[in-house]
Amino acid sequence: MTGERPPDGDEAVPAVDRAGPPRAGQPGGSPGAGQPAAGPERAGQPAGGPRRAGPPAGPPGRGVDLSGGLAALRGLLARPLASYYLLLSSAGLLLVIGLTMVYSATSIRSFADVGSATATFADQAVFALIGLVAFWVCQRLPARTFQALAIPVLGVALTLLVILDALLALAALGLLEESILGPLEADRLWLFIGPVGLQPSEVAKFGMVLWGSDVIARKGAALGWWRELAMPLFPVVGLLFVLVGYNDLGTMLCLLAVVVGLLWAAGVRLRIFATLSVLGLAGVGLLIAAASQGGGSDGEGGNYRLDRLTLFFNPPDDCSLDLCYQMIQSRNALDTGGWFGVGLGKGSLKWEWLPAADNDFIFAILANELGVVGCFVVLALFGVLAYSGMRIARRVEGDFRRLAAASATTWLISQALINIGGVVGLIPLTGVPLPFISRGGSALLVTLAAIGMLASFARAEPDAARALHARPPARWVRLLWAPLPPLPAGRRADRSSAPTARSTGSGARRGADPGATKRRDGDARPKQGGTARPRAGSGSERRR
């Protein structure tokens, strides 16, 4: 009919929903010149009609949708190998940053000493390559191999610690002119066996993780009894604390963090934690008192541990350079860095102004040259490492894997917090290296071996193992990188029960009527007044 406007149809609404709100002057849009309003017809539609209300259009230029970003992040974290890739990316970036900062902190001094700016960096790079080999080996090992290596690794660490402390004690008593006996030489925290030098306390950390996890995993539910918890864990831990803490209080605190992580992951009750905390504080007090008798890594006499605690809790108004020099220079490095730093390699405090600039205080050099932004990046990477390690401990199967992952993550993160807290002044100075960043071959090698163990456990997560078996990599990739992890127990049980079900079905068919087996299902004729009834079968089939 002419002169009448066609009513709104059902087909116009989807077009509007797909195209968004139309512009003024177009059909179906807001009323313009010569176009009647469309409100009454739309308002007269029934409530249950085919109309679909789209989302309201926001103003143009609005920022990024945060909900969409969080959904994408949750989707990435839900992938089967998310823990594995988070672990590798965070550890790899920290290793690259560490090598860069070691070169920046040692280039001038190396050039002045040996005429080559890359001499110290080359040594650290060699240790990094050896550590990557250790990572590759540990990534390929199953959990039962780590359990078998627990006692040998801890035994080697205890033997090296006894030799180190014995040489230092004999030299302190005057029985030896120097702490040298044949090919063995002790130098504070280092033990040299011919041309090879290492820190036994670093090996003790990894040995404590493996041995403690194996012992607690074998105890199981018996950990609720004091006797089962104390033997043989407490005597070995006490011996290790004495051997390590006499010379290095900071490393002893890292070992204490490993024990706390083990007991926390095992679900030990809080009253046991309270008792152990009292014993730990008493042990720390004894080690501080032992520094007055020559204990400690400085070898210069005096109770330097008590001096550090006194300076932290009650700093004097006029702090002399002898007592506060290291702390003052560290604050200067943090203060002059600002937000973005003075530039990589352009810091001047590393030129013999800040002691241990390439080791214990390398975080101060990083803050000086890369600023607050660089510090935030390093802290964020350690946060990702902590998240991935605890995620592995929560998702992996097996008590040993769970305990070892939790204790190794606690060790690395607590050591990083102790180092950074001492540099920025949040806790007293203890003198432990920053994982991945500080110069030191033994620490870097053992740290990368622990990361390889965590990577092995990340690939053994149930979802990750199923995904790797569903789409296995090429054979040469498995030979060069890592073999396939074992399938979880549920999947193995399903596969083992499948042949049993087939054999049961065939047995039921063999036990049925021989004449019935000759007829096909389509040949079965219905009885009068109904359909064919199925065969009774065996008792197990009827129950199913």
Side-chain angles (χ1 to χ4, degrees), residues 399-410:
D399 292 338
F400 174 79
R401 290 193 185 103
R402 188 180 74 253
L403 293 169
S407 57
T409 306
T410 307

Side-chain angles (χ1 to χ4, degrees), residues 309-390:
L309 288 176
T310 304
L311 287 174
F312 177 76
F313 290 107
N314 188 20
D317 296 334
D318 185 14
C319 192
S320 62
L321 292 179
D322 293 338
L323 294 177
C324 308
Y325 179 78
Q326 210 167 16
M327 184 174 61
I328 290 174
Q329 296 301 325
S330 175
R331 303 298 188 278
N332 290 338
L334 297 171
D335 181 62
T336 57
W339 282 98
F340 300 100
V342 299
L344 186 62
K346 297 181 180 180
S348 59
L349 290 174
K350 58 191 177 184
W351 300 346
E352 301 295 339
W353 290 102
L354 179 62
D358 57 343
N359 195 345
D360 296 345
F361 281 83
I362 198 170
F363 188 78
I365 302 300
L366 187 146
N368 179 247
E369 297 185 352
L370 301 180
V372 176
V373 175
C375 295
F376 177 78
V377 171
V378 172
L379 291 176
L381 289 175
F382 275 112
V384 174
L385 182 65
Y387 170 77
S388 58
M390 291 303 174

Side-chain angles (χ1 to χ4, degrees), residues 424-505:
V424 303
L426 294 178
I427 60 175
L429 295 175
T430 53
V432 295
L434 183 60
F436 303 99
I437 311 292
S438 295
R439 182 176 71 90
S442 301
L444 184 60
L445 194 150
V446 174
T447 299
L448 290 177
I451 294 297
M453 181 188 68
L454 289 175
S456 173
F457 296 163
R459 289 168 56 88
E461 291 181 5
D463 293 341
R466 294 188 188 101
L468 290 173
H469 279 270
R471 298 183 63 182
R475 182 178 179 84
W476 66 271
V477 175
R478 300 197 299 269
L479 291 175
L480 295 179
W481 185 244
L484 290 176
L487 280 171
R491 179 62 61 89
R492 290 198 300 268
D494 293 343
R495 288 192 172 185
S496 62
S497 62
T500 306
R502 287 194 297 268
S503 61
T504 303

